[in-house]
Amino acid sequence: MGKHKEWRKLAKKARRKRIRQTIARKLHDENEKDRLAREQSPRYIAWLEEQAQAEEFAAQEEARLATEREAHWLKVEEEARVQWLVLQEKLVLAREERAKQVARIKAEWEREQRKLKELKEKKEREAEEKLKQQQRLQEQIDYFVEHGGEVPEGLNTNFETNPAKPVCPFFNKTGACRFKDGCSRNHVRPGISRVLLIPNFYSHYSLQETENEHGTDSGLEFESQDTYEHFKEFFNDVIPEMETCGYIKQFKVCCNHGIHLRGNVYIEYSNLREAIRGYKKFHCRWYGGKQLHVEFCNIHSWKSAICGLFARQRCPKGTLCNFLHVFPNPKNFLTAADKDLHRTPTDEMEIDEREIDGRNWRWSESPERLPVVQSDRKSKHSRSRSREHHMTKRHARKPHRSSNRDHERRYKSSTSVK
């Protein structure tokens, strides 16, 4: 039963195939008949002729377009070749110009190097010449200090900060200005003078402006008598060392609080030779742990430089006055010079050699070491108190003012030691 069913399925499939083939043959035969009929018809022949003409026209048009494209391509190629040649010519010119520029830059660089070399050699020659001049000037200064004679010409020059501006009145009177070299007026510094200025040489806590519980007035913590006692110790320590350079005509220490005048020390010697000797001795020396910087300055009139109202405690500017507020020298030392009067030996104070001995502990040629131990400080303090007691007894026996003969003897002994 199953085999018959499969046979019928195959038979039906074959029958459908035969039917499709018969229909396809019929359709093919009909199409062939129609094609043959069309080919033999005049319309079809005319259509074929038209198609042939159209194909021939298309071929001719394609050939024409190809010819035009080829001509256009040749033209573009020729233009590109011309542009390339022009570009190559420009590149050649640019390379030549660059080579010329490089050669020009090289020549300028070589010229600049030659100029720099010549300038360097010139500077070296000038430096050597300047060094030789400085050596000659130093030799002249040394000879002048040792043997005297005429002042070297290289020292008689003034240095000005603003030559075209008017002279600063405060600097002209005191040798110091609160604006320093940034002042809008002219500061004229002498190359050499009889007056030496050591800025901020003297220092004490009472002169410093520090903030405390009472404000910025640090003087509230110190009494004026304590400050003056400290100044007297400084005075007795410094004066003997400075008198070894020559005869002192004026010595003043500022107690202003302004930073440009605070602790400034002014020393006027009797002549330029002694002033130069003092400059060479004290410049860059060390005192009390700080290095000194000595300057020459012109004080034309001590009377106009020193604030006259300060001595009467009537200065309206107070401690910030731009004129000199100075400590009174012990025993009226050089008081006549404050008013530009002639100084006589009877107006001066003699410092006894016993008083000088052992009091130059602050001076040193190099930076000082750390402070001494407590026992050393106590011993020095006890020695200082014993010396003060000895001075009190000695001055109680003799008058305050020394005689002309004693001062001349002391000055001659100091110069002879020098």
Side-chain angles (χ1 to χ4, degrees):
M1 187 68 183
K3 293 181 179 180
H4 180 71
K5 191 174 182 179
E6 291 178 359
W7 176 82
R8 286 191 65 182
K9 187 185 295 185
L10 294 174
K12 288 181 180 181
K13 185 176 181 180
R15 181 172 174 270
R16 288 194 297 271
K17 183 176 180 181
R18 287 193 301 271
I19 290 171
R20 286 195 302 271
Q21 290 177 353
T22 302
I23 294 172
R25 280 194 297 269
K26 288 180 179 181
L27 290 174
H28 182 265
D29 293 340
E30 291 177 357
N31 290 333
E32 284 294 327
K33 289 179 181 179
D34 293 338
R35 184 178 65 78
L36 292 174
R38 285 195 304 271
E39 289 179 355
Q40 293 176 0
S41 64
R43 292 183 59 186
Y44 182 73
I45 295 172
W47 180 79
L48 288 177
E49 292 178 355
E50 290 179 359
Q51 290 296 322
Q53 292 177 359
E55 290 177 0
E56 183 180 0
F57 178 77
Q60 293 177 357
E61 189 68 18
E62 184 66 25
R64 184 183 66 79
L65 292 175
T67 304
E68 290 180 355
R69 284 196 297 271
E70 184 178 2
H72 178 70
W73 181 83
L74 292 174
K75 183 178 179 182
V76 171
E77 184 69 18
E78 183 66 20
E79 292 178 354
R81 189 179 68 83
V82 172
Q83 291 179 0
W84 182 81
L85 292 175
V86 172
L87 179 62
Q88 292 301 316
E89 292 177 357
K90 290 182 179 180
L91 290 176
V92 170
L93 294 176
R95 282 194 292 268
E96 292 177 355
E97 184 65 24
R98 182 173 179 81
K100 292 179 181 179
Q101 185 177 3
V102 170
R104 185 168 58 254
I105 292 174
K106 185 178 180 180
E108 292 179 358
W109 181 80
E110 290 177 353
R111 287 196 301 270
E112 200 65 31
Q113 291 298 317
R114 286 196 297 270
K115 288 182 180 179
L116 291 176
K117 185 177 180 180
E118 293 175 357
L119 183 61
K120 183 178 179 181
E121 293 176 353
K122 183 179 178 181
K123 287 184 178 180
E124 289 178 354
R125 290 194 300 269
E126 291 178 353
E128 292 177 359
E129 185 66 23
K130 187 176 181 180
L131 181 61
K132 292 179 181 179
Q133 291 179 1
Q134 290 178 353
Q135 292 176 355
R136 289 195 297 268
L137 181 60
Q138 187 64 35
E139 292 175 358
Q140 294 175 3
I141 293 173
D142 295 339
Y143 182 83
F144 174 72
V145 172
E146 295 295 333
H147 304 89
E150 297 182 357
V151 180
E153 296 181 359
L155 299 180
N156 293 325
T157 56
N158 293 331
F159 303 96
E160 302 182 11
T161 56
N162 293 319
K165 300 297 180 63
V167 177
C168 179
F170 290 105
F171 189 88
N172 190 37
K173 292 181 180 180
T174 63
C177 177
R178 64 192 180 99
F179 298 107
K180 299 184 179 179
D181 289 342
C183 182
S184 60
R185 300 193 177 186
N186 189 18
H187 292 176
V188 182
R189 286 188 174 87
I192 183 176
S193 67
R194 294 185 295 105
V195 182
L196 297 182
L197 168 61
I198 309 179
N200 308 122
F201 184 12
Y202 176 73
S203 60
H204 190 261
Y205 292 113
S206 62
L207 303 183
Q208 306 292 331
E209 293 182 355
T210 55
E211 185 72 24
N212 53 33
E213 59 183 2
H214 302 289
T216 58
D217 189 5
S218 59
L220 296 174
E221 301 179 4
F222 302 93
E223 294 184 2
S224 59
Q225 186 62 29
D226 296 338
T227 306
Y228 189 68
E229 291 297 330
H230 183 271
F231 163 72
K232 287 198 299 183
E233 182 181 356
F234 171 80
F235 177 86
N236 294 329
D237 188 30
V238 168
I239 283 293
E241 187 74 11
M242 292 183 174
E243 283 189 336
T244 59
C245 300
Y247 189 77
I248 297 178
K249 294 185 64 177
Q250 180 64 292
F251 179 85
K252 287 299 175 185
V253 179
C254 295
C255 57
N256 302 67
H257 286 197
I259 192 171
H260 64 291
L261 292 175
R262 183 190 306 163
N264 287 5
V265 176
Y266 295 85
I267 311 103
E268 181 182 0
Y269 286 96
S270 60
N271 53 54
L272 297 177
R273 180 183 174 187
E274 296 173 351
I276 296 175
R277 186 184 295 121
Y279 178 86
K280 292 181 62 179
K281 182 172 183 179
F282 300 120
H283 185 58
C284 295
R285 280 193 63 179
W286 290 80
Y287 181 86
K290 63 181 179 181
Q291 194 173 21
L292 305 182
H293 176 72
V294 185
E295 303 174 0
F296 289 105
C297 69
N298 279 332
I299 303 296
H300 304 286
S301 173
W302 290 105
K303 185 177 180 180
S304 61
I306 298 174
C307 180
L309 297 176
F310 173 71
R312 292 176 285 176
Q313 299 181 355
R314 294 182 180 180
C315 181
K317 299 292 184 179
T319 57
L320 298 178
C321 181
N322 287 321
F323 291 97
L324 305 184
H325 290 187
V326 296
F327 288 104
N329 293 332
K331 301 180 182 179
N332 297 324
F333 182 60
L334 305 175
T335 53
D338 297 351
K339 299 180 181 180
D340 301 326
L341 300 177
H342 178 67
R343 177 187 171 195
T344 60
T346 56
D347 296 331
E348 299 163 358
M349 180 192 70
E350 177 186 4
I351 301 179
D352 191 64
E353 293 181 358
R354 292 173 297 176
E355 191 175 344
I356 298 173
D357 185 23
R359 298 188 66 85
N360 57 348
W361 56 274
R362 295 179 183 268
W363 292 100
S364 61
E365 298 293 343
S366 60
E368 297 182 355
R369 299 183 180 275
L370 294 175
V372 296
V373 296
Q374 185 70 19
S375 59
D376 295 340
R377 287 201 298 268
K378 288 183 178 179
S379 61
K380 290 185 179 181
H381 182 66
S382 61
R383 289 197 300 269
S384 176
R385 293 185 62 182
S386 63
R387 284 196 298 269
E388 291 180 359
H389 179 68
H390 177 73
M391 289 170 57
T392 304
K393 293 177 64 179
R394 180 173 58 84
H395 289 299
R397 294 193 303 268
K398 62 189 296 187
H400 291 295
R401 299 186 179 182
S402 62
S403 63
N404 187 7
R405 183 181 305 171
D406 294 336
H407 182 76
E408 290 178 356
R409 176 181 56 80
R410 179 171 56 85
Y411 175 69
K412 290 181 180 179
S413 62
S414 63
T415 55
S416 63
V417 172
K418 182 65 178 177

